[in-house]
Amino acid sequence: MKAYDGMYIDGAWRPAAGPDVIEVVNPADEQVIATVPAGTAEDVDAAVRAARAALPAWAATPPAERAARLAALRDVLVARQEEIARTVTAELGAPLKLSQTVHAGVPVAVAGSYAELAATYPFEEKTGNSTVLHEPVGVVGAITPWNYPLHQIVAKAAPALAAGCTIVVKPAEDTPLVARLFAEAVHEAGVPAGVFNLVTGLGPVAGQALAEYPGVDLVSFTGSTAVGRRIGAVAAGAVKKVALELGGKSANVILPGADLARAVNVGVANVMSNSGQTCSAWTRMLVHRDQYDEAVELAAAAAAKYGDRIGPLVNAKQQERVRGYIEKGVAEGARLVAGGLDAPREKGCFVSPTVFADVTPDMTIAQEEIFGPVLSVLRYEDEEDALRIANGTVYGLAGAVWAGDEAEAAAFARRMEAGQVDINGGRFNPLAPFGGYKQSGVGRELGVHGLTEYLQTKSLQF
């Protein structure tokens, strides 16, 4: 076990204000692998003060130079990809291949995209007799989750730095080690002192202090809707800007005429990826009544193949939470066709890949975010019924539509209340905006839309 010390503040690792530490546990074997400092309000104060002091110079730095620092950061992330992947596997439990391709690979693409945007975005433009300036919003407080620990930091830090903002990041307490690696990468890339700062700590202590801090101009948060509401309420009191990427209960709608086997297999893979710990996972599969039984059989068979292929959940608390939802699904009358409460391994925070059939839209497992490898298969009568079910939750983060005709699928997707919808298995695009409708959040991440979250406009009239 390694005991890490210090917070990355003002370009250096500085001793934490208090003596408390957080134990980092590998959920695959439930062994403590490291400790990091548990930051306090005093640490947050130091970090925000450093960010505020660095803001004028960084905001005035030419976009081309900011782009060069981001390009250098991307190159460091490439050079340290294997180390990043192994770190994520150790603290999150993700299989190494997933860590290499997704957890370490996607942040490289995102960082690279903002290096290009910083160099090409029109930070100044003419409109009639006005010059419109796109200026940094100021100091950003970023509170990130554990499920995609590096991606979520990069998806906030890269656009913030491209915009000319400075930032303080409070990573999830379950996965702080890769956040420390990112701070090292920022330092190695030559980002000026104070522009990026890192405070590890607990949400109710360090996270709350960061969200409430008067010197923070924008709070960017990814996590549960419940916590997002609290952050929004705090920010409203100070008329502070927020970007909230929250929960989801995404629908995977399979229309008659679609390639049923492919739609089901891809849908199951989507739910099982990252052990189901993905806010945009298609956890509700909607199938026409005439194909329902066949789809259930296909889904059960597909889920069974993941028994020894997925990693554990992030911790024992999350494991029990997911098991509680499985129990509730059975109690409310859903039919268990794969997985269930029996863990696939004796040790670790594992949950079996689980599929429920005969799920009705009003059941808890069809309405609430489970955040585990649990799929609900629902029956619909016609297209309007499918749309009603798909839109019938408080969430609207993502979704999918499958049809024999792409135009038919796109027409249905346009009617879905969701921020991002995949058509017939459309590929992930790091330049496309990501974010939700309804209680899935406010604002967008990735691409140019993610950059504009960190900008404010000023017009000069001549």
Side-chain angles (χ1 to χ4, degrees):
M1 183 188 77
K2 184 168 183 179
Y4 291 93
D5 187 24
M7 311 289 187
Y8 186 75
I9 297 174
D10 202 19
W13 292 99
R14 298 171 181 258
D20 293 341
V21 298
I22 296 169
E23 291 185 340
V24 183
V25 178
N26 184 334
D29 59 15
E30 301 181 83
Q31 297 298 306
V32 177
I33 58 173
T35 62
V36 298
T40 65
E42 187 176 343
D43 295 303
V44 170
D45 177 72
V48 176
R49 287 179 182 275
R52 178 124 328 252
L55 179 61
W58 184 246
T61 299
E65 174 58 23
R66 299 202 297 261
R69 292 306 97 217
L70 285 166
L73 175 59
R74 174 204 57 208
D75 293 344
V76 176
L77 293 177
V78 169
R80 302 186 70 169
Q81 250 180 298
E82 187 62 24
E83 182 184 8
I84 288 168
R86 293 189 180 279
T87 299
V88 174
T89 291
E91 62 184 346
L92 179 63
L96 183 58
K97 184 177 180 180
L98 180 71
S99 292
Q100 291 168 330
T101 57
V102 176
H103 290 289
V106 172
V108 168
V110 173
S113 73
Y114 282 111
E116 294 180 9
L117 273 171
T120 58
Y121 185 81
F123 288 98
E124 183 174 320
E125 56 188 342
K126 295 285 188 179
T127 301
N129 65 305
S130 300
T131 296
V132 178
L133 309 178
H134 300 279
E135 299 181 333
V137 73
V139 175
V140 175
I143 303 171
T144 61
W146 45 259
N147 60 328
Y148 290 93
L150 181 58
H151 167 66
Q152 292 292 350
I153 292 174
V154 174
K156 300 179 190 305
L161 300 188
C165 296
T166 56
I167 188 169
V168 178
V169 172
K170 201 298 286 184
E173 49 263 38
D174 289 291
T175 54
L177 303 184
V178 75
R180 292 179 64 92
L181 284 181
F182 182 73
E184 292 175 4
V186 167
H187 191 87
E188 188 175 341
V191 175
V195 172
F196 175 89
N197 305 273
L198 179 75
V199 175
T200 55
L202 300 176
V205 180
Q208 183 169 330
L210 184 58
E212 294 178 346
Y213 199 96
V216 171
D217 301 295
L218 181 153
V219 179
S220 180
F221 169 76
T222 298
S224 73
T225 297
V227 175
R229 289 193 195 103
R230 294 200 294 273
I231 289 174
V234 168
V239 197
K240 185 180 299 185
K241 189 176 181 182
V242 296
L244 305 174
E245 199 269 280
L246 308 176
K249 195 68 184 174
S250 301
N252 179 19
V253 182
I254 305 174
L255 298 174
D259 183 337
L260 184 65
R262 179 166 179 257
V264 170
N265 285 326
V266 173
V268 170
N270 175 277
V271 173
M272 301 307 159
S273 179
N274 209 40
S275 303
Q277 300 170 129
T278 303
C279 54
S280 57
W282 311 332
T283 52
R284 295 181 297 146
M285 181 179 290
L286 279 55
V287 185
H288 189 271
R289 61 182 181 184
D290 292 343
Q291 296 179 300
Y292 186 80
D293 291 341
E294 182 182 359
V296 168
E297 289 183 8
L298 288 169
K305 298 176 183 178
Y306 286 87
D308 59 355
R309 291 165 52 188
I310 65 173
L313 300 186
V314 68
N315 55 39
K317 181 180 178 181
Q318 183 67 12
Q319 180 190 36
E320 286 308 304
R321 181 178 183 272
V322 173
R323 286 169 58 88
Y325 274 108
I326 295 173
E327 291 175 339
K328 188 165 288 189
V330 172
E332 292 183 0
R335 177 165 54 98
L336 198 59
V337 296
L341 294 174
D342 292 336
R345 302 184 193 181
E346 292 183 4
K347 198 172 186 180
C349 304
F350 292 88
V351 171
S352 293
T354 298
V355 177
F356 279 106
D358 299 338
V359 179
T360 58
D362 60 327
M363 289 181 179
T364 302
I365 59 172
Q367 288 292 320
E368 297 184 9
E369 185 176 46
I370 297 173
F371 229 59
V374 181
L375 171 66
S376 296
V377 187
L378 294 87
R379 181 186 289 105
Y380 68 83
E381 296 295 317
D382 54 31
E383 192 170 300
E384 292 304 313
D385 189 37
L387 186 67
R388 176 186 63 81
I389 296 170
N391 290 338
T393 75
V394 299
Y395 298 110
L397 186 55
V401 184
W402 303 79
D405 178 68
E406 189 175 275
E408 178 188 4
F412 188 95
R414 289 175 183 273
R415 301 169 70 195
M416 292 176 70
E417 297 169 350
Q420 190 170 84
V421 183
D422 292 353
I423 306 298
N424 285 348
R427 293 180 293 110
F428 171 72
N429 179 6
L431 299 179
F434 180 80
Y437 286 25
K438 301 188 286 188
Q439 292 188 32
S440 283
V442 176
R444 293 294 181 269
E445 292 187 332
L446 304 181
V448 68
H449 296 85
L451 175 62
T452 58
E453 291 291 335
Y454 298 91
L455 295 170
Q456 55 189 345
T457 55
K458 176 190 292 180
S459 63
L460 308 178
Q461 280 62 251
F462 293 90

